[in-house]
Amino acid sequence: MTRTNISRRDLLRAAAVLGMSAPLLGACVTGGGPGAGPGQRGERSAGNPFGVKAGSPLEVVVFKGGYGDDYVKAAEEVYRRQHQGSAIEHRGIQQVGDTLRPRFVANTPPDVVDNTGAGALDISALAAAGQLTNLAELLDAPSWDDPNVTVRNTLLPGVVEDGERDGVCVHLNYTFTVWGLWYSKSLFDRQGWTYPATWEAMLALCAEIKKTGIAPWTYQGKYPDYVTDPLLTMAAKSGGMDLIRALDNLEPGAWRHEAVRGAAEAFAELAGRGYFMPGSEALSHTEAQAAWCQGKAAFIPSGSWLESEQRDVTPPGFEMTLGVLPARTTADKLKPTALEASSTESYLVPAQAKNIAGGLDFLRMLFSRNACREFARTAGTLPSVAGATDGLTLSSGLGSVSAAVRAAGTELISFRHRGWYPQLRKATDDAVGELITRRLTPAAFADRLQLAADALAKDSSVKKYTRR
């Protein structure tokens, strides 16, 4: 962030979240500290727009999840060629928050961080404490592929906004993730099933599927957020952008809106009719997805990383396909093709990094079209750079994702409150878990989350954000 007048309240909040002390945080403001001063920059040029100092080492820490980290290593090779003599220390890890909190406490963070995965660092707290570099310099720099086009203008719609806090972009997301319901097209073809366009048709199809001995649905029970996404998407399609803004802006009564309650009723009905595979509640994401790949269930909710994550266990000819969430009513405010999609896999440059210029230039290379094209080819996922998949032969999964995004047009749904307020995100996911195991009624679900949102809105220690 660019501001340096950080309130003590912000510092104390960030200290509580990150396990830091306020004095340490107080020393960290964007634009100051090691790596930010003129002495840490070399001469700027067309090929070196940030002034990376000759021979300056670069440290990159990456979340090594379903996408692996080979695509990052490939970008590092490009960086080495561009900045000869610069050594790169690369670490692929999984527990980003636990690993890096001590580094932030000591004011010795890496130069580039892929802040992703369970237990990731709280970006809002880091931003409030001035721990993140303002990426405007990167966004306005010439892109790696075409010096006449800025990095900003190579990105898909919404990517910059997804990385903003208080109107300042503090992280850039690498993947463009789409959420929906996944099914095997070959299974559906063999059975003569048609993907349902309405929720009424979904319930009728589930009854037909159940008769074959296949469970209509399974889900990643240990991680109920996999169901939160389709439930909120259903609510958003019914309630429209006004409801999405109301939820994000913590408006009174938003969680008791008819569209939210109706979506909760729809998913509770799935459970009530026995359409979830028995035992799903206890399954991890890998266990539920393996059962689905084995044909034990017809549908599973997930994001567009699924194809890559299941690559080693997906049977030949499975034809993994993403379907948009069926419309709940004929009066939905968004069209049937609307779907949840936003950028994910957050890359940031800490404000206290030793080599901020190197971190920015590395991201310029990582977000190049060629790097993103290779990522799309190997990971089976849409990158955040426009045109990265042009000319590629797409797999069934990625092809269905790309087609869904094209069909949705501008009606791409995203929920900012889930990134802005981790405590509300957890409350929502916990409530969804209770709802679909029939331990919470739809009405109680809406009431519980409205109370949680109201308490958050009144909590002056939590920084608030506004969606326009």
Side-chain angles (χ1 to χ4, degrees):
M1 299 176 65
T2 55
R3 61 185 178 138
T4 56
N5 295 322
I6 302 168
S7 72
R8 178 170 178 78
R9 184 171 63 192
D10 287 338
L11 294 176
L12 292 175
R13 172 180 178 263
V17 174
L18 298 174
M20 301 176 180
S21 66
L24 279 173
L25 282 170
C28 304
V29 292
T30 304
Q40 298 298 322
R41 301 261 188 161
E43 184 177 349
R44 297 175 188 256
S45 66
N48 187 10
F50 308 113
V52 178
K53 199 170 183 178
S56 56
L58 184 75
E59 184 183 0
V60 180
V61 175
V62 182
F63 172 69
K64 191 173 182 178
Y67 302 134
D69 59 353
D70 286 346
Y71 73 100
V72 182
K73 293 177 180 177
E76 290 169 357
E77 287 303 314
V78 176
Y79 184 94
R80 286 189 183 95
R81 291 196 298 270
Q82 181 72 4
H83 301 290
Q84 294 185 12
S86 295
I88 298 179
E89 180 182 351
H90 173 99
R91 293 182 64 196
I93 63 175
Q94 294 185 332
Q95 299 299 321
V96 176
D98 290 345
T99 303
L100 294 186
R101 282 190 192 96
R103 300 279 304 274
F104 277 91
V105 170
N107 288 339
T108 59
D111 302 308
V112 177
V113 176
D114 173 6
N115 185 47
T116 308
L121 293 160
D122 184 340
I123 287 181
S124 295
L126 288 170
Q131 289 275 347
L132 304 179
T133 297
N134 181 347
L135 298 181
E137 186 179 4
L138 169 64
L139 293 170
D140 294 332
S143 66
W144 180 255
D145 303 298
D146 185 348
N148 295 315
V149 178
T150 64
V151 171
R152 184 189 305 273
N153 289 331
T154 67
L155 302 172
L156 288 170
V159 174
V160 173
E161 290 79 4
D162 287 341
E164 288 183 345
R165 296 295 186 275
D166 281 341
V168 175
C169 185
V170 293
H171 68 94
L172 275 185
N173 296 337
Y174 199 65
T175 66
F176 199 71
T177 300
V178 176
W179 285 265
L181 302 181
W182 289 83
Y183 64 100
S184 164
K185 184 176 182 300
S186 59
L187 172 64
F188 271 52
D189 288 346
R190 288 196 304 272
Q191 297 288 351
W193 299 332
T194 300
Y195 188 86
T198 67
W199 196 249
E200 182 180 5
M202 167 63 79
L203 294 176
L205 177 58
C206 286
E208 185 179 343
I209 292 171
K210 192 173 181 181
K211 292 176 183 177
T212 69
I214 299 173
W217 284 55
T218 188
Y219 70 100
Q220 304 83 340
K222 290 184 178 180
Y223 309 101
D225 55 301
Y226 280 86
V227 180
T228 301
D229 286 301
L231 190 154
L232 289 181
T233 297
M234 176 178 284
K237 291 177 82 162
S238 293
M241 283 303 305
D242 287 343
L243 174 61
I244 295 171
R245 279 189 288 267
L247 292 173
D248 286 347
N249 295 337
L250 307 178
E251 292 183 10
W255 287 95
R256 293 193 177 101
H257 191 285
E258 185 280 329
V260 175
R261 191 171 61 253
E265 290 170 353
F267 278 81
E269 188 171 10
L270 282 180
R273 294 192 182 191
Y275 290 159
F276 286 118
M277 186 179 77
S280 292
E281 177 186 359
L283 298 180
S284 68
H285 64 295
T286 54
E287 291 168 336
Q289 291 161 192
W292 173 69
C293 282
Q294 292 162 8
K296 295 179 181 178
F299 294 107
I300 191 168
S302 189
S304 50
W305 61 80
L306 183 65
E307 186 176 38
S308 173
E309 201 164 63
Q310 295 301 108
R311 180 178 290 116
D312 293 339
V313 297
T314 303
F318 189 80
E319 293 187 79
M320 191 180 296
T321 305
L322 177 134
V324 299
L325 197 75
R328 183 175 67 87
T329 76
T330 58
D332 282 2
K333 293 186 177 180
L334 298 183
K335 60 188 179 184
T337 52
L339 78 165
E340 183 184 0
S342 62
S343 59
T344 56
E345 200 85 11
S346 301
Y347 276 87
L348 56 89
V349 176
Q352 296 299 306
K354 292 181 180 179
N355 189 5
I356 288 178
L360 295 174
D361 211 30
F362 174 75
L363 291 186
R364 188 170 71 102
M365 297 171 191
L366 187 66
F367 280 78
S368 69
R369 184 171 294 172
N370 284 340
C372 288
R373 184 188 304 275
E374 180 63 14
F375 173 78
R377 188 186 67 80
T378 58
T381 299
L382 284 179
S384 293
V385 170
T389 60
D390 291 353
L392 290 179
T393 300
L394 304 181
S395 62
S396 60
L398 184 54
S400 67
V401 169
S402 181
V405 171
R406 286 197 304 271
T410 59
E411 291 196 345
L412 300 177
I413 299 165
S414 65
F415 303 99
R416 302 280 168 79
H417 69 272
R418 290 180 63 73
W420 288 343
Y421 310 115
Q423 58 273 68
L424 182 57
R425 178 181 185 127
K426 184 179 188 306
T428 305
D429 295 340
D430 289 347
V432 168
E434 295 285 292
L435 174 76
I436 58 177
T437 51
R438 306 182 71 187
R439 294 193 289 266
L440 196 64
T441 66
F445 169 86
D447 287 341
R448 178 191 288 193
L449 291 178
Q450 189 60 60
L451 290 173
D454 290 345
L456 178 62
K458 294 174 183 176
D459 188 346
S460 61
S461 70
V462 177
K463 181 172 178 56
K464 307 303 190 302
Y465 301 94
T466 301
R467 182 170 190 160
R468 303 297 179 186

